[in-house]
Amino acid sequence: MAPPKLPPKGNTDSEDSEDAVDTPTTMASTDTTALPSSSPSLAEKAQRCRAALITALSPSEPVDTILLSGGLDTSIIADLAPLTHLGLKQAVTVVCTPTAPDEAYARAIAEKHSLKHTVVRCDDPMSLVGDEEGGTLETCVRVLKTFDPMELRNAVVVARALVECKRMGAKVVATGDAADELFAGYSFLQGLSPGKLKRWIARLSRPSVMRFCAGPLAAHLGLKVFQPFLAPPVIDFALTCRRSDLIRSIPNPAPTKDTTPGEMTTFGKYVLREAVPEAYSRWRRKDPIEVGSGTTTLPKLFEEHTDPAFVEAEKARILREDGVTIRDAEHLHYYGVFRRVFASDGAASAENEDQDMDARQYRLKALFAKCGIERYGDDPCLECGFQIDRLDSWFCVTCGAWPARTGSPEGDVQEGDDLDE
Ligand SMILES: [Zn+2]
């Protein structure tokens, strides 16, 4: 998924290198966190983790294709596949700029396992988000029922990759979904106390809290997805992890052009890196999909391509007429497609509503009836009026607002949060 219901700021790391590097086979951790002597060691945890992953990588039907970003998560699937009955035959990678870091890693992994590898190149990221009818963006908006920029930036890359999988005759497609959520891959999680991190992961692991675009987009294309990090043994294992199993600072074993050898570096998903030491991308740091593939530049590109006065005028008009808060040029573009797909303007008119608030409310409720998500119900988003999908979430999956309710999320600090147990 683009991260589910995460604060919109802070889940984008960009510190990865563009240089593929060899991975050392051993690295002594210098983490000094004190652990109870009865706790399993990291080495024991890594063994359990590996067993859970191998169990998860034994599906009931062959998985012929992988969406290969070349990050740690997809590297683990591809690099463990030869030990399982997965049956991977081909891989697809999407890159939107010549400097997108995914490609070198993905190429190396595909070559290592003799996978037929297709790299889909888009001249520039804007070509993935054109507003043409039936285009990639419109498909994502229609299937996912959203105009959240962070979700769509990610989804258009996944959709483009899945279309290629379909063209290549794929039946079942593997993705690395959920590894970042269950094993603390996002950089903003590094600042959480052990207790708070554990609760964050426990909440996401509940059924249907995590949302990933690959499933619905694949179903739309008649494909199946295989998401091994969402398999029960892997989720069960993740719930046993302490902060120190997931996040550690070590001398950087894979220095890049931006870092010096031996520089202390903090890695999330640490136990995964220990569990699969043969993973080609073992010490690659996290890139969210929109950075790895190059769509991270979209907000800036939209800003450059759109007249600021037009954006401001449209923001005012849309708030007045549709009751939707538009944040910037990119958001405006996605909303335009969402509106075209889901709005029904014929039901009522905006005229003379100043005197009749009920008429306005009725029209706004009915405007997006085709979308199927309630508007102005008992828990509407402050910025778009669509129902917030969960009581325990402050994020609006329709427009991307956070916080989407008045007040602020609870502090969620509990006694003993500093104990890593
Ligand atoms: Zn909203």
Side-chain angles (χ1 to χ4, degrees):
M1 62 185 182
K5 304 157 206 72
L6 304 178
K9 309 287 183 197
N11 61 343
T12 51
D13 291 347
S14 57
E15 63 274 73
D16 203 350
S17 144
E18 293 163 14
D19 305 324
V21 287
D22 290 328
T23 59
T25 52
T26 58
M27 174 54 57
S29 169
T30 58
D31 194 279
T32 55
T33 308
L35 298 174
S37 57
S38 60
S39 300
S41 66
L42 181 64
E44 289 171 284
K45 280 285 185 70
Q47 237 173 12
R48 291 182 202 172
C49 182
R50 187 178 179 90
L53 288 168
I54 288 177
T55 303
L57 288 169
S58 304
S60 53
E61 59 183 320
V63 177
D64 46 58
T65 307
I66 181 169
L67 294 193
L68 189 61
S69 74
L72 175 68
D73 316 331
T74 53
S75 171
I76 283 174
I77 298 171
D79 291 320
L80 283 180
L83 306 179
T84 71
H85 301 296
L86 207 59
L88 279 184
K89 291 185 171 54
Q90 52 192 20
V92 172
T93 305
V94 175
V95 293
C96 302
T97 65
T99 57
D102 280 354
E103 185 174 351
Y105 287 89
R107 276 196 185 286
I109 294 164
E111 194 173 318
K112 184 175 160 190
H113 299 294
S114 305
L115 300 175
K116 180 183 172 192
H117 188 206
T118 300
V119 178
V120 179
R121 294 178 190 288
C122 303
D123 293 341
D124 79 76
M126 292 294 274
S127 68
L128 277 175
V129 291
D131 63 359
E132 66 275 7
E133 283 187 31
T136 306
L137 175 65
E138 190 195 90
T139 300
C140 291
V141 167
R142 187 184 294 279
V143 171
L144 303 172
K145 299 182 175 180
T146 185
F147 53 102
D148 169 18
M150 193 165 60
E151 172 74 7
L152 288 171
R153 259 176 246 145
N154 165 66
V156 291
V157 176
V158 173
R160 185 64 191 82
L162 289 170
V163 166
E164 185 61 22
C165 293
K166 180 83 176 174
R167 195 194 62 77
M168 292 167 73
K171 298 278 185 287
V172 186
V173 181
T175 74
D177 292 335
D180 285 320
E181 287 74 15
L182 294 172
F183 294 95
Y186 296 111
S187 64
F188 76 91
L189 295 174
Q190 293 171 4
L192 299 188
S193 65
K196 200 165 177 178
L197 177 64
K198 221 171 164 62
R199 285 197 296 284
W200 192 87
I201 292 169
R203 188 181 81 79
L204 286 191
S205 70
R206 285 183 219 138
S208 72
V209 174
M210 287 189 276
R211 293 160 44 108
F212 297 97
C213 63
L217 290 172
H220 178 74
L221 290 167
L223 296 168
K224 290 182 184 171
V225 285
F226 174 67
Q227 297 160 305
F229 291 100
L230 281 169
V234 178
I235 292 178
D236 291 346
F237 170 76
L239 291 172
T240 71
C241 288
R242 301 168 299 233
R243 184 185 185 281
S244 54
D245 298 325
L246 302 176
I247 300 171
R248 290 204 176 201
S249 294
I250 59 170
N252 189 356
T256 66
K257 66 181 171 61
D258 301 318
T259 57
T260 50
E263 186 176 75
M264 289 304 282
T265 307
T266 302
F267 288 93
K269 299 189 279 196
Y270 198 88
V271 73
L272 288 179
R273 300 174 200 268
E274 288 289 312
V276 192
E278 69 267 49
Y280 179 84
S281 302
R282 184 184 184 190
W283 297 114
R284 187 179 174 188
R285 294 185 66 185
K286 173 165 175 53
D287 273 331
I289 191 166
E290 72 272 18
V291 172
S293 63
T295 54
T296 189
T297 53
L298 280 169
K300 194 165 182 297
L301 290 172
F302 271 107
E303 200 182 320
E304 289 168 2
H305 284 87
T306 319
D307 174 11
F310 172 75
V311 175
E312 288 310 309
E314 283 294 273
K315 280 165 80 169
R317 183 186 67 76
I318 291 167
L319 182 60
R320 189 177 63 245
E321 295 183 3
D322 294 353
V324 173
T325 300
I326 298 296
R327 295 189 285 277
D328 55 28
E330 184 190 20
H331 202 212
L332 175 64
H333 180 75
Y334 301 151
Y335 177 70
V337 175
F338 182 90
R339 197 183 195 290
R340 185 179 75 211
V341 170
F342 291 116
S344 310
D345 278 314
S349 160
E351 289 174 23
N352 304 320
E353 285 180 355
D354 288 348
Q355 282 74 44
D356 189 347
M357 285 308 290
D358 284 349
R360 173 179 165 77
Q361 201 68 2
Y362 174 80
R363 183 181 61 82
L364 292 181
K365 270 175 94 79
L367 181 60
F368 291 108
K370 271 197 284 184
C371 176
I373 305 173
E374 187 180 11
R375 205 157 182 236
Y376 297 108
D378 59 0
D379 191 18
C381 167
L382 283 173
E383 297 195 3
C384 70
F386 282 95
Q387 185 82 351
I388 299 172
D389 71 328
R390 298 180 65 91
L391 283 172
D392 61 354
S393 174
W394 288 70
F395 182 70
C396 174
V397 298
T398 311
C399 77
W402 190 91
R405 295 192 187 89
T406 46
S408 62
E410 288 173 35
D412 188 30
V413 176
Q414 296 181 15
E415 198 173 330
D417 269 356
D418 290 336
L419 292 175
D420 194 20
E421 54 188 16

